Amino acid sequence: MKIIILLGAPGAGKGTAAEGIKAATPYMHVSTGDMLRTAVKAGTPIGREAEGYMKRGELVPDGVMVRLVEEKFDGGPADKAYMLDGFPRTVEQAEMLDASLARRNSRLAHVFYLEAPRDLLVARLAGRRICRACGANYHIVNIPPKKQDVCDTCGGELYQRADDKEATINTRLEVFANQTKALIDYYTRQGVLARIDAAAPRERIIGQIVDKLRMAAGQ
Ligand code: AP5
């Protein structure tokens, strides 16, 4: 199993970059945020447990998250390549991931830290719109749809995520600073962290990451 991680504050552009990386490499996109939103919508036990935390912009407990990710790994073939988006988010989750990879004789290849200033993060989150039908991601200023509130790809209706309202955005950014930022040191110490300027255009971000992955694979 091969693993890379996209690390970054809410709104840094992890999901947007993941879509481009997925198209150009064998890495399968695993977004814990998307998995949780699906579970909430379906009303599963994990969804019911996670819903309140997500609405408030807080982290879902580590035990729940590790269960979710382990189930994903168990369900796929042993030689699969995964790109984790939104996991881990605490040092405890990172330690549990290390232990899980060691059990599977696998190792973390790269962690890409998408770095961006706070005002840019807030503007990106507040302007984000998502297609209700296919999940495509837009921004009302940076990456606007051709027709307002309509998805270019499938014609579906665009909506704003409930946690992209101002008060919740502030909580999410605080949670990142207090609970997730420690992972930058954690992965720097492991020698796997690469810093990426997340304020750059999405094509440049995707190109930098894809080039690095191809170089590491000797391509
Ligand atoms: P999650 O869904 O993971 O949200 P997040 O980390 O807050 O990240 P976002 O999806 O908001 O941002 P992103 O970096 O993917 O940005 P995007 O590409 O969309 O998690 C939601 C919740 O689930 C959490 O709050 C928590 O409760 C729970 N959760 C999830 N994982 C958990 C875990 N491991 N442990 C505990 N709880 C967990 O881009 C944003 C906008 O900017 C878009 O509009 C996009 O079009 C635009 N944009 C992106 N890149 C660019 C660019 N380069 N140039 C111009 N515009 C851009």
Side-chain angles (χ1 to χ4, degrees), residues 132-167:
R132 228 178 256 293
C134 73
N137 189 327
Y138 296 87
H139 188 280
I140 52 173
V141 178
N142 305 342
I143 306 170
K146 292 194 183 90
K147 197 172 159 202
Q148 196 183 339
D149 296 332
V150 178
C151 178
D152 292 348
T153 315
C154 76
E157 182 204 356
L158 303 187
Y159 76 102
Q160 184 174 36
R161 254 168 61 175
D163 60 351
D164 280 347
K165 305 281 158 58
E166 201 182 325

Side-chain angles (χ1 to χ4, degrees), residues 2-178:
K2 274 200 268 181
I3 300 277
I4 61 169
I5 292 174
L6 300 182
L7 175 66
K14 304 180 292 297
T16 302
E19 286 308 303
I21 299 163
K22 186 177 75 176
T25 69
Y27 286 91
M28 180 185 160
H29 182 198
V30 176
S31 158
T32 45
D34 287 347
M35 288 162 77
L36 288 169
R37 280 183 287 278
T38 303
V40 169
K41 207 167 160 192
T44 66
I46 284 187
R48 287 198 298 274
E49 189 170 348
E51 192 171 12
Y53 295 101
M54 295 176 78
K55 269 195 183 141
R56 293 189 296 275
E58 296 166 4
L59 294 186
V60 174
D62 290 335
V64 176
M65 297 313 303
V66 170
R67 226 164 67 222
L68 202 67
V69 172
E70 286 283 0
E71 275 170 20
K72 189 82 190 177
F73 291 164
D74 287 341
D79 62 350
K80 193 101 194 164
Y82 293 101
M83 167 169 45
L84 303 182
D85 159 7
F87 184 93
R89 265 172 143 104
T90 62
V91 170
E92 289 73 18
Q93 290 181 16
E95 288 170 348
M96 287 190 240
L97 176 64
D98 284 347
S100 169
L101 294 180
R103 276 199 305 279
R104 295 162 204 270
N105 289 323
S106 301
R107 172 175 91 73
L108 186 56
H110 303 280
V111 177
F112 296 101
Y113 171 42
L114 274 60
E115 209 171 1
R118 185 192 161 87
D119 55 346
L120 184 132
L121 298 170
V122 172
R124 282 194 181 165
L125 291 170
R128 172 166 53 191
R129 297 294 181 274
I130 295 163
C131 175
R132 228 178 256 293
C134 73
N137 189 327
Y138 296 87
H139 188 280
I140 52 173
V141 178
N142 305 342
I143 306 170
K146 292 194 183 90
K147 197 172 159 202
Q148 196 183 339
D149 296 332
V150 178
C151 178
D152 292 348
T153 315
C154 76
E157 182 204 356
L158 303 187
Y159 76 102
Q160 184 174 36
R161 254 168 61 175
D163 60 351
D164 280 347
K165 305 281 158 58
E166 201 182 325
T168 320
I169 289 176
N170 289 334
T171 308
R172 289 163 64 203
L173 293 176
E174 260 172 47
V175 166
F176 178 78
N178 296 336

